[in-house]
């Protein structure tokens, strides 16, 4: 299987639909719309929507049914990156290979662009809610993105920088901050398939989210700013709590291998799972 080609096909399909969704933006303030489009269309791996579309295809869920959720998820992810880069949070000036939103549009507009993307995400979802399946999927999206998901993880991260730092703290940060949106990407398609393989996919999503974070920490340590499109070595230099600063590079790599194995075990009974197996292997081998 040429997985890279398959991934790129999903990504291209999604990017066309994402762009179409922004063509309908009409608002009161052009600058706000411009700031929203700037970050949304700045590139990125589109990992979460690609994952959601792949799981949908494995479960036989209709593309048109899942697409609004894939778009909404990327809007939410993009808003989180804009806010994460703000001076009051990570204070970063480079994202997806370009100056960060606040560097281009100012801090005020960057905050509002994030707010507007979050609201727009739910507007897209609400326009497509009808069945009980879609209501369940919407509930998962909002819960996993909010105080009991990504936002909660970010807050827990901010409040837990002091020593001694433990693996338990690190796990709690990332099962929420990074893990919940990735898990949402795989369980939302299951909602539309009558909860088929829900628990196995949830386990797969959690392990994949963890793997994504461990590799992010390893890449922060080993990769370059050019390759990543964002500043690297920042976490390492600041001695921030990461899998590399806590475990060291060798043990972090071993942990990644174990986590990959756990993700593969979780989906072993799902038919036509090959693409999901390859995706997990792609995460451990990714270069950006
Ligand atoms: C500000 C509410 C709020 C939340 C921020 C996810 C997050 C929460 C911040 C990002 C910080 C970070 C570096 C997390 C590590 C893993 C991660 C989520 C990286 C960014 O996602 P990618 O690699 O980015 O999928 P692209 O640009 O490819 O979409």
């Amino acid at each position: 299987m040429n997985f890279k080609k398959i991934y790129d096909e999903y990504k291209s399909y999604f990017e066309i639909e994402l762009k179409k969704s922004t063509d309908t933006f009409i608002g009161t303030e052009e600058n706000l719309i411009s700031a929203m489009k700037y970050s949304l269309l700045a590139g990125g791996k589109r990992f979460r929507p690609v994952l959601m579309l792949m799981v949908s295809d494995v479960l036989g869920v209709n593309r048109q049914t899942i697409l609004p959720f894939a778009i909404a998820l990327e809007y939410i992810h993009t808003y989180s990156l804009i806010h994460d880069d703000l001076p009051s949070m990570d204070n970063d000036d480079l994202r997806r290979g370009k100056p960060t939103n606040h560097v281009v549009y100012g801090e005020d507009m960057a905050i509002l662009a994030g707010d507007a993307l979050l609201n727009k995400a739910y507007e897209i979802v609400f326009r497509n809610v009808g069945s009980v399946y879609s209501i369940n999927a919407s509930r998962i999206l909002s819960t996993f993105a909010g105080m009991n998901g990504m936002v909660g993880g970010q807050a827990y991260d901010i409040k837990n920088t002091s020593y001694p730092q433990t693996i338990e703290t690190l796990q709690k940060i990332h099962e929420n901050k990074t893990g919940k949106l990735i898990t949402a990407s795989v369980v939302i398609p299951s909602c539309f398939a009558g909860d088929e393989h829900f628990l196995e996919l949830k386990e797969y999503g959690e392990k994949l989210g963890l793997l994504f974070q461990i590799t992010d920490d390893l890449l922060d340590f080993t990769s370059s700013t050019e390759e990543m499109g964002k500043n690297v070595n920042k976490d390492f230099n600041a001695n921030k709590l990461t899998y590399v600063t806590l475990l060291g590079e060798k043990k972090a790599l071993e942990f990644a291998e174990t986590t990959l194995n756990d993700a593969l075990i979780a989906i072993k009974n799902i038919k036509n799972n090959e693409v999901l197996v390859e995706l997990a292997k792609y995460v451990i081998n990714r270069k950006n």
Side-chain angles (χ1 to χ4, degrees):
M1 176 192 291
N2 184 345
F3 182 75
K4 174 84 177 75
K5 186 164 171 272
I6 294 174
Y7 187 100
D8 287 344
E9 279 165 10
Y10 273 93
K11 186 174 172 223
S12 304
Y13 164 80
F14 175 74
E15 293 208 306
I16 292 168
E17 297 297 331
L18 183 75
K19 167 79 175 56
K20 271 196 229 161
S21 77
T22 66
D23 289 342
T24 62
F25 283 3
I26 305 168
T28 353
E29 173 50 54
E30 272 310 313
N31 220 246
L32 177 66
I33 294 178
S34 182
M36 291 163 75
K37 286 187 180 176
Y38 175 77
S39 291
L40 264 183
L41 305 177
K45 293 179 287 300
R46 313 302 188 192
F47 178 71
R48 297 151 191 80
V50 166
L51 176 59
M52 194 184 270
L53 292 167
M54 283 179 174
V55 176
S56 294
D57 285 350
V58 169
L59 298 179
V61 174
N62 180 297
R63 276 274 166 100
Q64 291 312 313
T65 306
I66 207 70
L67 197 56
F69 285 86
I71 292 174
L73 198 77
E74 188 67 11
Y75 278 38
I76 293 173
H77 169 60
T78 304
Y79 115 74
S80 83
L81 298 181
I82 297 174
H83 282 190
D84 187 63
D85 290 332
L86 288 169
S88 57
M89 297 237 191
D90 256 10
N91 194 17
D92 255 312
D93 56 10
L94 194 67
R95 170 73 66 182
R96 293 176 164 173
K98 295 193 168 146
T100 43
N101 200 289
H102 65 270
V103 169
V104 179
Y105 292 94
E107 208 178 327
D108 45 9
M109 210 46 77
I111 292 171
L112 293 173
D115 294 341
L117 284 171
L118 176 60
N119 282 284
K120 196 74 190 170
Y122 290 115
E123 187 188 323
I124 292 168
V125 163
F126 285 138
R127 280 184 200 282
N128 290 279
V129 167
S131 62
V132 172
Y133 292 163
S134 61
I135 293 169
N136 278 340
S138 311
R139 183 179 48 75
I140 287 178
L141 182 63
S142 54
T143 308
F144 283 31
M147 61 182 274
N148 294 110
M150 179 186 69
V151 177
Q154 176 81 348
Y156 192 71
D157 189 4
I158 288 169
K159 287 290 174 200
N160 283 280
T161 49
S162 59
Y163 287 84
Q165 295 172 332
T166 62
I167 189 89
E168 287 76 22
T169 307
L170 193 56
Q171 303 285 62
K172 191 166 160 183
I173 292 170
H174 292 303
E175 71 184 41
N176 289 292
K177 185 173 123 170
T178 309
K180 286 279 170 73
L181 277 199
I182 291 177
T183 306
S185 310
V186 301
V187 294
I188 286 175
S190 167
C191 294
F192 288 99
D195 286 345
E196 196 184 356
H197 296 303
F198 188 95
L199 290 178
E200 291 135 287
L201 285 166
K202 183 166 176 286
E203 173 79 8
Y204 171 74
E206 287 167 0
K207 297 298 177 192
L208 201 62
L210 177 56
L211 183 60
F212 194 89
Q213 185 62 50
I214 305 167
T215 54
D216 208 72
D217 290 352
L218 282 161
L219 287 169
D220 180 70
F221 183 60
T222 57
S223 188
S224 66
T225 298
E226 292 69 42
E227 228 167 350
M228 293 297 280
K230 62 181 180 182
N231 296 318
V232 296
N233 285 324
K234 229 185 136 193
D235 289 349
F236 187 77
N237 290 339
N239 205 18
K240 203 169 172 254
L241 179 58
T242 75
Y243 287 99
V244 176
T245 55
L246 191 74
L247 303 176
E249 189 185 0
K250 187 166 171 285
K251 280 220 159 59
L253 268 166
E254 285 167 14
F255 191 36
E257 292 286 353
T258 311
T259 308
L260 168 66
N261 207 31
D262 291 345
L264 300 185
I265 290 170
I267 53 166
K268 70 178 191 318
N269 292 326
I270 300 181
K271 258 202 298 179
N272 303 322
N273 69 3
E274 296 79 7
V275 76
L276 304 183
V277 169
E278 291 306 315
L279 183 76
K281 291 182 182 165
Y282 159 82
V283 171
I284 202 169
N285 292 318
R286 72 194 178 102
K287 297 281 172 270
N288 66 18

